[in-house]
Amino acid sequence: MTNFQIDDITWNDLSMEEVYEKLNTAQSSVGQESLKRILRTTLMEESALRERSRRAAYFSRQEQARNDITRIFRDLGKTKKLSLYEYIFRFHEVKPASNALHYLLIVLLLAAITMIFLRPVIGILSLVVMFVINISTYFKYKAEIESYFMCFKYIVRMLRAGSRICRYVFPGEHPFGDLLREMEQDLTVLAPMKRGSWLLTNSVSGSLVDVVMDYVRMLFHVDIIKFNSLRKLAEDQTDTIDHLFRTLGELEADLCI
């Protein structure tokens, strides 16, 4: 027997959207999208169904593990109206972009700052002009890639969440061995995407450092430069990102179940 998708008519006839809403306690987008995919795709392999039941039963018994892993997914969070799974497979649609313009604007901004010490009036006027140019250019380029950019930032958060889960010491005998090994393999392949990822994302604290970094990004375009440099890597590793998405999603779906 093979797996198959439940069509929209059957889904609506069985009021499965209501079932989904009752089951959906997922704290992250990966959990929400994976739970719906699980409900809409029949699974015929008995061994896989038994493994899912074992994982769900473990979380039912282990309240501390359930709370700790839920907290990790809560920190991972949601992407609001953006379908992360859809955009993972659309990185190729982003036109390859050079960072030359962004580097030039950085050089001109630094030159304007230097000019303040040599010719104060000209330097200040130049600095104001460069502020306007750099910020307006930043938002222009950012608007063109916003959806992909949000997806990319979420992938970075997925890597952090996966690392925390792999480091977590599950109490007692647990059924997550195979799942954790697969997750570790994906994280190893995607490790280059974490380098410099602090340029892309703020912490969740909303601290003064985060506010300063927002202005640094607008003036120096460091997040756009990082995005352009990693876009090709993300496109080449689409299958690995997809597998990590599914693995994390399966784990949070077990929590929902």
Side-chain angles (χ1 to χ4, degrees), residues 144-198:
E144 295 174 357
I145 60 171
E146 184 63 32
S147 296
Y148 303 96
F149 196 87
M150 293 298 296
C151 178
F152 201 99
K153 290 201 294 185
Y154 198 82
I155 290 171
V156 172
R157 283 155 58 187
M158 282 170 50
L159 298 178
R160 293 174 182 170
S163 297
R164 290 174 64 187
I165 291 171
C166 287
R167 292 195 305 268
Y168 183 74
V169 180
F170 287 88
E173 184 177 353
H174 66 80
F176 303 109
D178 291 341
L179 185 146
L180 293 176
R181 279 189 289 273
E182 292 180 11
M183 194 180 297
E184 287 176 343
Q185 291 174 358
D186 293 338
L187 292 173
T188 299
V189 173
L190 298 173
M193 295 182 68
K194 291 182 66 177
R195 296 176 193 142
S197 60
W198 58 274

Side-chain angles (χ1 to χ4, degrees), residues 5-249:
Q5 289 280 335
I6 296 175
D7 61 84
D8 290 340
I9 294 176
T10 305
W11 176 268
N12 292 329
D13 287 347
L14 295 175
S15 301
M16 287 301 295
E17 196 64 33
E18 295 180 23
V19 175
Y20 167 73
E21 292 298 331
K22 289 181 181 295
L23 275 175
N24 181 25
T25 57
Q27 303 295 311
S28 74
S29 293
V30 294
Q32 283 189 334
E33 294 190 33
S34 295
L35 179 62
K36 179 160 283 191
R37 186 179 66 251
I38 287 171
L39 290 175
R40 295 204 67 149
T41 307
T42 62
L43 181 59
M44 299 299 188
E45 293 82 7
E46 183 177 351
S47 59
L49 288 168
R50 289 186 181 278
E51 278 300 305
R52 181 178 291 162
S53 294
R54 286 181 61 218
R55 293 193 300 265
Y58 174 87
F59 281 130
S60 294
R61 297 191 306 270
Q62 296 286 351
E63 181 179 2
Q64 186 61 51
R66 184 171 69 247
N67 293 337
D68 291 341
I69 300 301
T70 297
R71 190 175 300 113
I72 293 175
F73 282 110
R74 185 181 302 122
D75 292 342
L76 173 57
K78 301 174 182 177
T79 55
K80 298 182 180 178
K81 297 180 180 180
L82 174 67
S83 174
L84 176 67
Y85 193 74
E86 177 184 353
Y87 274 90
I88 284 176
F89 298 100
R90 292 172 57 182
F91 275 116
H92 66 279
E93 296 180 1
V94 183
K95 296 179 180 178
S98 170
N99 284 323
L101 175 62
H102 305 295
Y103 287 132
L104 175 62
L105 291 176
I106 292 173
V107 171
L108 293 176
L109 178 61
L110 294 176
I113 294 174
T114 303
M115 183 62 70
I116 292 176
F117 300 98
L118 303 175
R119 302 285 295 274
V121 175
I122 296 177
I124 292 174
L125 290 175
S126 300
L127 187 61
V128 171
V129 170
M130 289 312 303
F131 272 20
V132 173
I133 293 175
N134 283 28
I135 293 175
S136 60
T137 304
Y138 174 82
F139 283 110
K140 174 181 179 296
Y141 276 84
K142 192 75 174 291
E144 295 174 357
I145 60 171
E146 184 63 32
S147 296
Y148 303 96
F149 196 87
M150 293 298 296
C151 178
F152 201 99
K153 290 201 294 185
Y154 198 82
I155 290 171
V156 172
R157 283 155 58 187
M158 282 170 50
L159 298 178
R160 293 174 182 170
S163 297
R164 290 174 64 187
I165 291 171
C166 287
R167 292 195 305 268
Y168 183 74
V169 180
F170 287 88
E173 184 177 353
H174 66 80
F176 303 109
D178 291 341
L179 185 146
L180 293 176
R181 279 189 289 273
E182 292 180 11
M183 194 180 297
E184 287 176 343
Q185 291 174 358
D186 293 338
L187 292 173
T188 299
V189 173
L190 298 173
M193 295 182 68
K194 291 182 66 177
R195 296 176 193 142
S197 60
W198 58 274
L199 295 171
L200 297 173
T201 58
N202 283 339
S203 69
V204 296
S205 62
S207 64
L208 178 61
V209 174
D210 292 337
V211 175
V212 171
M213 278 305 301
D214 282 337
Y215 282 101
V216 169
R217 293 184 184 100
M218 285 187 286
L219 292 174
F220 294 92
H221 301 192
V222 290
D223 52 346
I224 296 178
I225 292 172
K226 189 64 177 177
F227 175 86
N228 289 337
S229 65
L230 292 180
R231 182 202 60 80
K232 185 64 167 60
L233 174 62
E235 183 181 343
D236 292 342
Q237 297 298 337
T238 297
D239 290 343
T240 306
I241 296 171
D242 172 44
H243 189 266
L244 178 62
F245 180 99
R246 288 175 177 270
T247 305
L248 287 169

